[in-house]
Structures are given as C-alpha cells and as structure tokens.
Amino acid sequence: MRTQTITKAPSESKITERISGSEAVVRCLIEEGVSTIYGYPGGAIMPVYDELFKYQDQIHHVLTRHEQGATHAAQGYARVSGKVGVAMATSGPGATNLITGIADAQIDSTPMVCITGQVPSHLLGSDAFQETDIVGISTPVTKWNCQVTRAEDIPEVMAKAFYIAKSGRPGPVLVDITKDAQFEEFDFSYEKCEKIRSYNPIPTSSEETLKAAADLINSAKKPFVVWGQGVILGEAEEEFQTFIEKAGIPSAWTILGASAIPTSHPLNVGMVGMHGNYAPNILTNECDVLIAIGMRFDDRVTGRLDAYAKQAKVIHFEIDPAEVDKNVKTDIAVLGDAKANLAKILPFINSNSHEAWHQQFKDLYKVEYDKIIDKDLFPNKEGLTMGEVLKEINKNTDGKAVVVSDVGQHQMIACRYADFKESKSNITSGGLGTMGFCLPAAIGAKMAVPEREVVAICGDGGYQMTIQELGTIFQQQLAVKIVVLNNDFLGMVRQWQQLFFDKRYASTEMINPDFVAIAKGYYLNARKVTKREELADAVAEMIASKEPYFLEVCVEKEDNVFPMIPSGASVSEVRLE
C-alpha cells in the first residue's frame, strides 16, 4: 500500500508518494509525455521493466532485437514526431550496444534519452558481472550524461535529461541507474525542468545584427541560401519559405535539411555536397552572399575549406555558438532560434527576384539532367537503376511518404530523387554515416506517424547489419515498406575503389542470402524484381499493401552515383562522370 505525504516547503506544498526508484523512472517518463520506448531487458534494468509491465496501458515498450536497433528506432521516432525518443538497455554489453546510435544522434542533433541499468553501487569499480563505465564511454557522444546511485535523485535527473535533450540544439542524453537505486524506496514527486543555471540553450541576436544581415542580403546580386536540419528542428519551415520567397533567393539543402520545403518549390535548387546537384555546388563559388541557415558546414558539404565560397560574404543563422567560425569564417552570425530570427529579419528584407542569377541555376541543371538525371530515371540499358526505383516510389506515394535511408549509394539516390511535399520526410544518418540505421529507424518513423506511408530504402550491405529488426516489424505488425536495392556490392566503397584505387575491389563484393526467403521467414509479404517490366507492378503492390512488405530490386552491379566531389577537392571540381 502506497502512502501519500505532503511535504511543506516555505512557499509551496508537494504531494509525494513513497515508491521505488524503478517505478519512479516509469512515472517520470509518463510525466514527460512519453508513450513509446524502445529497448531490450537484462538483469541490471529488470526492476524498471517489472514496473513497465504494470504501466503498459500508458507506455508501449517495443522489444527490438538489438540495443543498437532501439537507439535507431528512437531516432526515427524523434525525427518524425519532433518529440524526444527514448531507448533503454541493461548494463555492460546492453549499454555499450547503444553507443553507435547515441553517437549518430549527437552529430545529427536528435533529441533522445537513453536509460541504462547499472550494477549495484557497492560493486561499482569492481569489474562486476556486466559492469562497464558507460558514463565514461558515452561522455564524448552525449549532450549530457549522469549516473544515479540514490533513488531520491531520479526525478530531478530525469527532468534535466528531457529538458537538455530537447532544448536549444537537441541531442542525446544518457541516464545510468544502479540496481540498488531502482529497488530503493523514497518519497516521489515530479517537477519538470524549465531552466538550468549556466545553461543557455537559445542565444539571442540584436536588432542591429539582424539589420546588418538584411543589408547584406538586400545589396547582394547573387545571394545563395544553404539550409540544414536546423530549419526543421526549429519548426521554422513556414518562416523560412516566406523569407526566401520575399528575397527571391535560390536555396539548396543539406541531406538533413531535405523536405523543409517541397522538392518542387521553384526556389529549391537541389542538394549541396559530395553527391549533391551540379548547379548549387558550382555556384557556391560564384555567389556574393552565402546565407547558411541551421547547418554546420560539414566537410561533405564544403569540400576543400580553403576553396569554399571565398568570394562571398557569409551570414550564419545558428543556434549553437560553437558552430560559428568552426569551419567557415562568418561575416555576420545571427545566433538563436531559426523560427524567431527569420520572422524578425523579414521586415528588413526587400522583395527581389534575381532572375538572371536563377537562370544560371537552370542552365546548369540542364547540363546535369542531360548528363546524369535522364539516364538515372529513364535508362536505355538492360539493367535496372536505383533512380528508376525511386521514380516508381514517387509515382505511387505522390511525394507524401516518409523516406528512410541507410548509408551508401542508395542513400544518395534516395536523397537526390525522392519527392517531398511534407516536412520531416527524409530520415537518414547524416554526420556519422551509420550503416544499419535504416530498418530500425523506419520502425520508429512508422510508429510516430502510423497514418503515413513509410518506405525504407536500404542497400544490401547496411540492411544486413540490422536485418534482425524484421522480427520487431513482425511482432509490432508495422506496415513498413522495405526496399533493398541489391547490387551485390558495398556500392559506395566499390565506387571509390573503381575511381581512385584502379578497380581493386577489396572486400566489397557481397555474396548475399535469399532476402525474400528471410523476409518470409519473418512472415512478411515479399517479392523480388530482376527485370524492368516487373518493377512498376511490384512497387504498386508494395505501396497498396496494408501490411509490412519487403521488396528486393536487383540493380546494376557497377553503377556509380554522380555528380561527385572527390575527397579533398573543392565544390567547383564536382565531377559529372
């Protein structure tokens, strides 16, 4: 029988209940509005799982088949829903299996709280069974982490964890809880965290800074916007579109920024970066004002830094001061929330069209279309291309699907050719480049938006790193549509070996299993396509299905993804072949 007491402070009264630390963890999750978590049980976290069993009408726990799968599923859930994703694991190998997903979330600014069990506090440092220093291990790849050894500290730590994960530039947080703290009872009450001393998650910029940025933009003859995920994370899509439309500025995206505005928007000139579109890459080094919004000048975007936009004045809209001047020297830094700052700068922006400048983008797009895009989407050879698979998916989803991709050639093709009409529709591993991300991330994405079509675009290599999550899809009965573009190679590495290592295909050719048989072993509908005349019907059947569906498409073994900026080259040296 629980007892309630009223603890009276000088200025307030709190109603408390005497409960265990493990129940407190679950109650904290409920207080934070968490309804779905992903995880894998084990000895050191078992008390929390026991309490979860009692609260399963309020929190749905998804048993993934690997702890890494739990983190990627939590990432997919967070990226599509805009909420904090939650993953949970036991101590030792369970905790260390979370690290790849945590590192991925850190570099891609994904809000996530990971909860790990730990050996009893009196055994810490004794090399006890399944003990690892997960706080020490995770410190470089978390926004914040904390070990809890007393039950009474759980509410405050959990409140801080959710606040830190979601506020400012989002990121992953890890809370490690010893087993004795989970069993210990204390007087529980919960108060959400709204402020932490010395932590300023949203810096501000003065009106003078905004006016100075506006003056540069208004005087520019060839302004160019590159936007990233910060527009989506800041829920600034409407303000961003209004801003570029008023200023008439051609705008390109990083892969994590894709879908913030529709692919078809006339000011959307494509993707920048190593496999981005020809025009935005070439014209980066011809613009006179470069406006970076919610992006961090990653090396895959900039190429050689000493040859990147040296002719341009640079305006950087950024929430994280650490990113300003880190890679590219900024002339004006507009610090703070993208949504607020784009709204504030709008009255100072002159209406413009820059028609001659836009024509340069159109002319270069035609060069790319004739040389690459037409051949990717409408090939005149016998073998299937990855591009034509995406074309069929677009036709059947009308640009309304959430497209989740792994890492490799198929990722670049998916990002280049998927049509997006809604924000939060392109879910991929950006900064870390994590193979195996796609399948579990698609699980989280589908659970975040069950009413939307979720299509997982995988390569045959990355797919096999987390193929066991087919079991999670079957158990949860999630109507995820899985497409494996099978070229029997680790395609992106093979492309580099072809271009830069004299076709020495060292350890990149795959001898693959019967993917359809494996999918059917997990009771999924499955089909394999080897010929062009089969493709349209197979994709239509897949999308029409109300159940999980696996589609393997055998594509050309040695197709390459172009354009391509070779490693160490400048954006002006982008190759079309």
Side-chain angles (χ1 to χ4, degrees):
M1 184 76 177
R2 293 188 191 127
T3 59
Q4 286 195 350
T5 60
I6 298 178
T7 304
K8 292 186 177 180
S11 59
E12 61 181 347
S13 296
K14 290 184 180 178
I15 298 177
T16 64
E17 289 182 77
R18 192 158 189 84
I19 62 174
S20 68
S22 55
E23 184 175 2
V25 172
V26 179
R27 295 277 292 273
C28 291
L29 293 172
I30 293 169
E31 290 283 350
E32 291 292 341
V34 174
S35 58
T36 304
I37 66 175
Y38 303 88
Y40 205 98
I45 196 67
M46 207 175 296
V48 174
Y49 270 89
D50 187 54
E51 292 298 334
L52 266 178
F53 186 79
K54 302 172 188 176
Y55 284 89
Q56 55 189 307
D57 60 330
Q58 295 181 63
I59 296 183
H60 177 48
H61 177 269
V62 178
L63 175 64
T64 58
R65 298 309 190 257
H66 192 283
E67 292 89 354
Q68 181 180 341
T71 55
H72 293 329
Q75 286 177 273
Y77 182 89
R79 294 266 292 274
V80 177
S81 69
K83 300 176 182 177
V84 177
V86 180
M88 190 158 66
T90 192
S91 62
T96 58
N97 281 343
L98 298 176
I99 290 297
T100 296
I102 292 172
D104 194 285
Q106 172 79 340
I107 200 164
D108 281 356
S109 304
T110 303
M112 182 167 68
V113 170
C114 292
I115 301 163
T116 54
Q118 185 55 274
V119 301
S121 54
H122 71 278
L123 292 177
L124 289 172
S126 70
D127 291 331
F129 177 68
Q130 291 192 332
E131 180 194 3
T132 56
D133 178 11
I134 194 61
V135 171
I137 292 169
S138 66
T139 294
V141 293
T142 50
K143 189 176 178 184
W144 182 67
N145 64 16
C146 183
Q147 186 174 80
V148 178
T149 59
R150 302 187 308 168
E152 64 191 68
D153 295 331
I154 289 172
E156 182 181 359
V157 169
M158 291 289 287
K160 282 184 178 180
F162 277 88
Y163 174 67
I164 291 170
K166 189 73 169 71
S167 58
R169 179 181 179 178
V173 169
L174 182 136
V175 178
D176 188 48
I177 308 173
T178 60
K179 196 167 185 179
D180 53 322
Q182 296 172 50
F183 280 122
E184 184 184 2
E185 291 191 345
F186 74 110
D187 293 327
F188 172 82
S189 67
Y190 194 77
E191 186 176 341
K192 286 191 177 184
C193 181
E194 296 178 353
K195 185 178 181 181
I196 297 175
R197 190 173 141 192
S198 78
Y199 171 54
N200 179 27
I202 305 178
T204 57
S205 288
S206 66
E207 186 173 294
E208 289 72 21
T209 298
L210 291 167
K211 285 181 177 178
D215 288 344
L216 260 186
I217 294 167
N218 292 335
S219 62
K221 303 299 181 187
K222 294 182 175 182
F224 180 42
V225 165
V226 177
W227 88 84
Q229 190 185 200
V231 172
I232 296 171
L233 292 172
E235 299 180 343
E237 295 93 340
E238 184 179 344
E239 291 78 5
F240 173 72
Q241 185 167 324
T242 302
F243 166 76
I244 63 171
E245 287 175 348
K246 184 176 183 181
I249 305 177
S251 302
W253 38 273
T254 69
I255 62 170
L256 295 183
S259 82
I261 62 172
T263 309
S264 60
H265 193 286
L267 294 175
N268 185 338
V269 296
M271 180 171 75
V272 291
M274 179 170 282
H275 291 286
N277 293 101
Y278 190 54
N281 275 321
I282 288 288
L283 296 178
T284 294
N285 279 357
E286 292 188 27
C287 68
D288 55 1
V289 175
L290 176 61
I291 305 126
I293 303 177
M295 55 86 77
R296 58 186 181 85
F297 291 111
D298 173 72
D299 64 293
R300 285 294 173 100
V301 167
T302 64
R304 270 180 53 198
L305 281 170
D306 63 355
Y308 181 79
K310 290 301 178 182
Q311 79 294 338
K313 297 288 187 182
V314 177
I315 301 169
H316 196 175
F317 285 75
E318 178 56 50
I319 199 167
D320 184 358
E323 293 295 345
V324 175
D325 293 335
K326 186 174 81 174
N327 295 323
V328 172
K329 176 64 179 169
T330 299
D331 293 279
I332 299 176
V334 182
L335 295 174
D337 176 73
K339 186 180 182 74
N341 281 332
L342 287 171
K344 288 176 184 176
I345 200 172
L346 194 64
F348 306 127
I349 297 294
N350 296 337
S351 295
N352 214 324
S353 60
H354 300 290
E355 292 178 8
W357 177 228
H358 278 284
Q359 190 59 47
Q360 290 186 243
F361 284 88
K362 293 174 184 176
D363 292 344
L364 291 177
Y365 174 79
K366 187 175 187 313
V367 172
E368 181 183 350
Y369 186 89
D370 292 343
K371 192 81 175 178
I372 297 169
I373 298 172
D374 183 53
K375 295 173 184 176
D376 280 348
L377 301 183
F378 305 96
N380 57 5
K381 56 186 176 181
E382 183 178 343
L384 284 161
T385 67
M386 291 180 278
E388 61 185 315
V389 180
L390 266 294
K391 182 183 67 176
E392 287 297 327
I393 291 170
N394 288 336
K395 186 168 74 174
N396 284 272
T397 60
D398 193 31
K400 296 177 181 177
V402 176
V403 176
V404 188
S405 56
D406 217 278
V407 171
Q409 287 182 316
H410 68 280
Q411 175 194 35
M412 295 295 101
I413 291 293
C415 290
R416 282 175 54 80
Y417 293 125
D419 286 339
F420 298 117
K421 291 184 177 178
E422 299 180 38
S423 186
K424 299 185 177 75
S425 293
N426 184 52
I427 310 302
T428 193
S429 173
L432 197 65
T434 304
M435 293 177 70
F437 171 88
C438 180
L439 192 60
I443 291 171
K446 185 63 177 178
M447 296 188 76
V449 284
E451 73 284 359
R452 293 183 66 186
E453 204 68 69
V454 174
V455 183
I457 308 291
C458 308
D460 49 312
Y463 176 63
Q464 293 181 80
M465 288 194 171
T466 50
I467 194 172
Q468 70 276 0
E469 299 307 333
L470 290 176
T472 309
I473 290 172
F474 167 66
Q475 184 169 345
Q476 298 295 320
Q477 283 299 293
L478 299 170
V480 175
K481 310 302 167 61
I482 306 152
V483 181
V484 168
L485 301 178
N486 184 6
N487 57 11
D488 294 311
F489 267 111
L490 299 177
M492 187 61 82
V493 182
R494 185 213 56 76
Q495 177 169 334
W496 281 55
Q497 289 171 335
Q498 177 185 336
L499 297 176
F500 309 116
F501 293 88
D502 297 324
K503 293 190 176 182
R504 292 188 295 275
Y505 296 155
S507 301
T508 48
E509 188 163 10
M510 307 279 286
I511 299 177
N512 286 316
D514 185 337
F515 288 126
V516 169
I518 292 171
K520 287 184 176 179
Y522 282 102
Y523 307 102
L524 270 61
N525 295 320
R527 184 170 174 179
K528 181 176 182 177
V529 169
T530 59
K531 298 177 181 177
R532 181 165 290 113
E533 53 265 29
E534 303 168 337
L535 180 63
D537 179 67
V539 172
E541 180 181 288
M542 175 184 72
I543 298 300
S545 175
K546 303 299 182 185
E547 298 176 344
Y549 195 107
F550 172 84
L551 178 63
E552 176 187 1
V553 183
C554 296
V555 297
E556 286 267 314
K557 290 191 69 170
E558 295 186 80
D559 261 359
N560 290 329
V561 180
F562 288 104
M564 180 181 184
I565 302 170
S567 182
S570 80
V571 290
S572 299
E573 297 172 289
V574 57
R575 293 174 52 170
L576 292 173
E577 58 185 6

